[in-house]
Amino acid sequence: MNGVGYMRIAVLTDIHGNLPALQAVIGDIDKRGDIEHIYCLGDMLAIGYETDRVLELLFGRDDISIITGNHDETVLALSRQETYPESHQNERAHHQWITDRTNQGYLDMLHKLPRQIYQQIKGHTVLFTHYHIHPDKATAHISEEPFSRIVAPTLENLELLFQNHTDTELICFGHHHPIHHFRNNCSIFLNPGSLGCQPKPAAPYAIVDIKEEIKIEIIEVLYDNRSFLEGYERFKVPERDIILKIFHGGQL
């Protein structure tokens, strides 16, 4: 503990099956030695293909709190033979491929995760969510599209999106892969950016110092992603050409 009125946390999101990116970030966090807790904001699965090893790393630590994202929940829907969301129909073959190759024990653990975490940290109200959830769909199945559509990353749009959380001082989210860091007189809106899907070999996450004021630093950890990117062809990942172009900037 850094002190009675002080806590340092890390926030990461949208790993998307990218094991070397996650290992690089966790290594950076551990090397610092002063980060007390890690919050993972969902979408651990899909797009990338190293699902079991990503989940093994996350579930193997006792200093990480995890919530689910839309890709996690679509895979869960397939694994449990439940209704698949219409908005993901173009990705169904890819999600099925991921589902078929994921350890059932990890899927069971995913099923038990919450969708949001709302808590007090050192006197500050903090929301951890994958993205905005409609108030009347807090427990709705993923097929009912509980997560809001992505909007342009502006303060005005985020204020409107999270208008039911005007009393929340820090709102941490993911879903939209670019970095967001905005604040108004009431709230800070933080998306550290997708850890696993970037157009360069750098994995972003955020360090948040919570004391009298909340201070945020965005960190980019460089890592070698060549073998990971080559693995899309090696493992014949469905939709790999589109994934490499859209989510990894055509780096190969």
Side-chain angles (χ1 to χ4, degrees):
M1 184 68 66
N2 288 310
V4 174
Y6 173 37
M7 186 172 182
R8 172 170 279 194
I9 65 173
V11 181
L12 53 89
T13 189
D14 293 82
I15 300 163
H16 284 297
N18 188 337
L19 180 67
L22 177 61
Q23 289 173 325
V25 165
I26 293 297
D28 189 76
I29 289 171
D30 287 344
K31 182 175 64 177
R32 292 173 185 272
D34 60 355
I35 293 174
E36 298 176 50
H37 203 75
I38 303 167
Y39 291 87
C40 177
L41 307 185
D43 274 8
M44 289 79 71
L45 314 185
I47 299 179
Y49 54 87
E50 295 185 299
T51 305
D52 280 359
R53 295 183 68 190
V54 163
L55 295 178
E56 178 184 24
L57 195 164
L58 294 173
F59 285 128
R61 296 178 65 110
D62 59 8
D63 61 347
I64 301 182
S65 295
I66 309 170
I67 60 176
T68 55
N70 54 299
H71 283 271
D72 309 317
E73 294 186 24
T74 53
V75 168
L76 284 173
L78 288 172
S79 73
R80 302 172 75 84
Q81 298 184 329
E82 297 170 350
T83 305
Y84 186 84
E86 285 294 325
S87 64
H88 285 281
Q89 285 298 334
N90 291 339
E91 302 156 356
R92 183 163 186 155
H94 175 80
H95 283 147
Q96 187 65 62
W97 188 89
I98 294 292
T99 303
D100 293 342
R101 286 157 178 78
T102 302
N103 182 287
Q104 185 60 48
Y106 290 137
L107 292 173
D108 292 341
M109 294 170 75
L110 276 175
H111 182 65
K112 296 176 183 178
L113 293 178
R115 202 176 249 170
Q116 292 183 314
I117 297 172
Y118 187 80
Q119 66 184 91
Q120 290 276 331
I121 301 179
K122 300 301 180 183
H124 296 277
T125 53
V126 184
L127 172 67
F128 300 98
T129 185
H130 184 64
Y131 204 50
H132 176 260
I133 298 176
H134 301 289
D136 60 343
K137 291 188 175 182
T139 60
H141 189 268
I142 187 64
S143 61
E144 297 181 42
E145 309 290 352
F147 296 104
S148 294
R149 301 294 183 185
I150 290 174
V151 297
T154 67
L155 175 60
E156 292 75 18
N157 282 339
L158 292 171
E159 287 174 332
L160 182 61
L161 199 64
F162 291 99
Q163 59 185 300
N164 294 319
H165 292 282
T166 55
D167 60 341
T168 305
E169 296 170 73
L170 175 61
I171 299 171
C172 299
F173 60 98
H175 193 50
H176 194 59
H177 290 179
I179 295 169
H180 303 60
H181 183 196
F182 301 101
R183 66 176 68 206
N184 58 23
N185 292 331
C186 301
S187 302
I188 299 170
F189 303 92
L190 171 65
N191 173 2
S194 173
L195 182 150
C197 295
Q198 294 294 329
K200 57 183 179 180
Y205 76 101
I207 295 175
V208 183
D209 288 327
I210 302 177
K211 37 190 173 181
E212 293 85 2
E213 296 182 0
I214 297 174
K215 295 185 178 180
I216 294 166
E217 181 181 7
I218 304 294
I219 307 294
E220 282 193 336
V221 184
L222 299 178
Y223 70 104
D224 185 352
N225 66 354
R226 185 166 186 83
S227 179
F228 172 74
L229 296 179
E230 290 174 343
Y232 280 94
E233 180 63 31
R234 198 161 58 243
F235 295 108
K236 306 301 180 186
V237 179
E239 308 299 332
R240 55 191 175 277
D241 292 338
I242 294 174
I243 288 171
L244 287 168
K245 180 178 179 180
I246 294 177
F247 295 104
H248 295 290
Q251 292 176 74
L252 284 181

